[in-house]
Amino acid sequence: MRRQAWLQTRPAAASRLETRRLNLALQGGGAHGAFTWGVLDRLLEEHQLAFEAISGTSAGAINAVLVADGLVENGSAGALEKLARFWSALCGQTGSLETLPGLQRLQHASLDLIGKFLAPAQFNPLDFNPMRELLRSLVDFERLRREGPALFIAATDAATGRKRIFTRADISLEAVMASACLPQVHQAVEIDGRQYWDGGYVANPPLMPLINPAKAEDTLLVQLIPLTAQDVPQDQAGISEGINRIIFNAPLRHEIAAIELMASRKVAPFLRHRFHLIDATPSTAELPAGSRLMPDWRMVSKLRLDGRQAADAWLARNHTAIGKQATADLPAMFL
């Protein structure tokens, strides 16, 4: 019988180590998702870690399916390769944005400011998105629907504002594109007759499914969006960035509040679940407004390195806590 690559992909010497099962919750944040790439890059080197379930939104959803499909294809090595190929290719294609005047203007102005004057159908009528073809070439979605870690990918119903969580059973290229569809830049993604926008408006990332139905009782949250700003912004770009920070953190705060309520009522899965956190905001808080939209290779490389270092430090402090105790008090931090 073939071993399940996403659960155990380690050399014989490492097989004697206790397997520690861990869920991953990957927040969205555009090009800042390169930090998550670095975190995953380091975690995948820990052969005793087994990823039971992965939730993700927007860039987190992209990283999630790359890791999941890579693990199925060739274990940790496959996941590492797919992440590297995606991010390096995405940065290599950013020069093509200059051929589209509407997208070129996004490099010099706030996304929200552009959105006040032009709809995506006007400045990007062909709905150009380099991520679509990259994901199509890298991820075998048909195979991923059959096997791999559990997946929970969030998108927002554009008409109703309701949350939709795509599981591994119904994951598709369109589901991932919907999760990453910023409505100021791209036209809504249609799935089963419904139109979807970025999942960050409703779940960023989903936490509830990682408690139930997922089985592992430890979840590592990779946070990209700062909770607070050092100062109240005064210019238009800073104000827009501040509004985005509030909007895209709100669903996460709501889920943490709901989990805290269920734990206070002694509901077993919520009471015993252990959370862990790797926070990217020391690296992302000072980046220029709008940098999430521009996957510049220098920035992406720096964020990847920062993510690796943050994961390495987290493992050094906390790897023995997985399966035993929480290392992050999310209610105290987010509420």
Side-chain angles (χ1 to χ4, degrees):
M1 180 181 294
R2 189 172 68 87
R3 289 167 57 185
Q4 294 178 319
W6 61 93
L7 291 180
Q8 293 184 344
T9 54
R10 56 188 188 273
S15 64
R16 295 189 296 271
L17 299 175
E18 178 186 359
T19 298
R20 300 179 185 274
R21 297 181 181 274
L22 184 67
N23 301 322
L24 299 173
L26 310 180
Q27 192 175 46
H32 296 178
F35 179 94
T36 305
W37 170 26
V39 169
L40 296 170
D41 207 50
R42 178 63 185 88
L43 294 179
L44 287 162
E45 296 175 354
E46 295 294 308
H47 297 290
Q48 74 271 27
L49 286 181
F51 300 142
E52 180 80 23
I54 310 174
S55 76
T57 301
S58 195
I62 292 169
N63 281 323
V65 297
L66 290 167
V67 166
D69 189 59
L71 288 172
V72 173
E73 182 174 297
N74 191 29
S76 297
L80 290 166
E81 180 184 1
K82 286 181 186 288
L83 287 164
R85 287 175 61 188
F86 174 84
W87 284 100
S88 59
L90 182 66
C91 293
Q93 292 192 28
T94 53
S96 61
L97 298 181
E98 296 176 0
T99 64
L100 294 171
L103 290 179
Q104 185 180 18
R105 290 168 63 184
L106 287 177
Q107 299 180 12
H108 306 287
S110 160
L111 169 64
D112 292 326
L113 189 60
I114 291 291
K116 292 177 182 177
F117 298 103
L118 295 174
Q122 293 173 295
F123 71 82
N124 188 12
L126 300 179
D127 203 24
F128 174 79
N129 191 335
M131 293 187 297
R132 181 182 294 276
E133 292 308 313
L134 280 175
L135 287 172
R136 193 192 307 276
S137 67
L138 287 171
V139 178
D140 185 338
F141 285 97
E142 182 178 352
R143 177 180 61 196
L144 193 53
R145 286 190 289 272
R146 295 193 305 267
E147 56 181 321
L151 287 173
F152 304 98
I153 303 303
T156 304
D157 189 305
T160 66
R162 291 177 178 173
K163 173 172 56 181
R164 177 165 179 181
I165 302 297
F166 294 92
T167 65
R168 200 193 75 210
D170 54 10
I171 197 66
S172 66
L173 174 61
E174 295 308 305
V176 179
M177 297 309 298
S179 184
C181 177
L182 281 174
Q184 301 93 332
V185 181
H186 296 291
Q187 300 171 40
V189 177
E190 182 174 344
I191 302 173
D192 300 330
R194 305 296 303 177
Q195 303 285 324
Y196 292 95
W197 284 341
D198 193 293
Y201 298 113
V202 291
N204 195 20
L207 294 183
M208 287 288 193
L210 299 178
I211 299 175
N212 185 27
K215 303 303 182 184
E217 296 183 345
D218 288 77
T219 291
L220 172 62
L221 168 63
V222 181
Q223 177 192 352
L224 299 183
I225 303 174
L227 288 174
T228 61
Q230 291 183 348
D231 301 299
V232 176
Q234 302 297 323
D235 61 1
Q236 181 61 45
I239 291 170
S240 295
E241 195 72 8
I243 292 172
N244 286 332
R245 172 176 52 80
I246 293 169
I247 289 172
F248 287 115
N249 271 323
L252 181 57
R253 292 182 190 270
H254 292 159
E255 277 205 84
I256 291 171
I259 291 168
E260 175 73 355
L261 177 62
M262 297 299 284
S264 71
R265 294 179 175 178
K266 311 298 184 184
V267 180
F270 298 88
L271 184 63
R272 63 175 178 255
H273 203 82
R274 297 174 290 268
F275 280 101
H276 313 272
L277 176 71
I278 293 179
D279 184 5
T281 58
S283 298
T284 60
E286 298 304 317
L287 291 173
S291 62
R292 290 177 291 107
L293 300 172
M294 297 175 284
D296 172 79
W297 180 245
R298 286 175 295 181
M299 180 187 74
V300 163
S301 298
K302 176 63 163 56
L303 285 173
R304 173 183 173 270
L305 178 60
D306 289 350
R308 278 192 59 88
Q309 292 174 342
D312 192 62
W314 181 82
L315 285 166
R317 294 191 305 269
N318 302 312
H319 75 281
T320 58
I322 300 172
K324 297 178 181 178
Q325 64 185 46
T327 60
D329 185 347
L330 297 189
M333 300 173 64
F334 284 80
L335 303 182

